[in-house]
Amino acid sequence: MAVFVSGSGSNFENLVHHFEKVEWVSVALVVSNRSDAYALVRAERLGVPSVVVDKRGLNDAGVMCPLLEHYAIDMIVLAGFLPMVPDYLIDLFPHRIINIHPSLLPKHGGKGMWGHHVHEAVKTAGDTETGITVHYVSEVCDGGEIIAQFAVALSPDDTVDDIAAKGHELEMRHFPAVVEEVAGKLSDELGQVGI
C-alpha cells in the first residue's frame, strides 16, 4: 500500500508498525504533497521510501501512474492527506483508496473540514460525542461509502484540544485494523482475478 500524508504522520507510523507483523501486506511508499511534512522524517527513520508530489504532479497521471506502478501499489491509504484525490486515481483504484476523517461523518465533513477545523466545529455544535470515520474515497469530498466508525463521549468541559486527543486515541486504536480488513478483502479479490 501507499500512504498519502500532508502532516506529522502519526497514523502513517502506526500503520507501519502494525503491518510489520502482517506478512502479506506492507507499507511500500509514502507520498506527501508537502516537503516540510514531518511524516517524511518518520518515513526516513522507518526505512519507507517517500516522495513529494505537488498539486500539479498529483493531478498528472503521467507522474503518478508510473510512480505507483514502480512500487507495485494495490491500495492507497490517506492518513491526513489534504488535497482532493483526482478522479483518474479513483478510477484506477476503485474501492482501493480509503481515508480517515476525524468526525462521525456526515457531520463535520466536506471542503475545509480537517484537523482542528473539525474539532472546533464539534465543540461549537455542542456535540455529546465525536469519533472517526474510515471511508472509501469518491469524487465527493468526505462523501465516499463508510467502512467503519468509532465514537467516544464528550463532556461539556472538553476543550477543542481534548476533543482532538480523544479522536486521535480512536485513530491509533482502530485505524490499522480497519485498513488490514480492507486490505484482506482486496487481497482476496485480486487473488480471484489472478492479478
Side-chain angles (χ1 to χ4, degrees), residues 11 78-82 99-110 112-123 127 129-135 141-142 148-152 154 160 162-172 175:
N11 273 304
L78 309 184
F81 187 68
L82 299 182
N99 181 47
I100 186 167
H101 183 80
S103 77
L104 296 169
L105 291 174
K107 290 181 89 173
H108 313 301
M113 294 304 286
W114 54 272
H116 249 57
H117 302 289
V118 174
H119 308 309
E120 288 166 358
V122 168
K123 177 70 175 172
D127 291 352
E129 65 176 2
T130 191
I132 60 170
T133 302
V134 183
H135 65 94
C141 184
D142 296 329
Q149 290 185 308
F150 302 92
V152 61
L154 295 177
V160 171
D162 293 334
I163 294 168
K166 287 182 175 185
H168 188 69
E169 185 180 330
L170 290 177
E171 292 173 5
M172 294 296 105
F175 191 38

Side-chain angles (χ1 to χ4, degrees), residues 28-79:
L29 177 66
V30 174
V31 176
S32 178
N33 65 308
R34 293 180 44 193
S35 60
D36 62 345
Y38 187 71
L40 298 171
V41 175
R42 293 181 196 261
E44 184 175 2
R45 188 177 73 236
L46 294 165
V48 178
S50 64
V51 63
V52 176
V53 180
D54 63 15
K55 186 176 180 180
R56 185 168 49 188
L58 178 67
N59 288 300
D60 185 344
V63 171
M64 291 302 295
C65 292
L67 173 67
L68 297 173
E69 189 175 321
H70 176 77
Y71 287 95
I73 300 303
D74 297 310
M75 175 180 177
I76 297 170
V77 177
L78 309 184

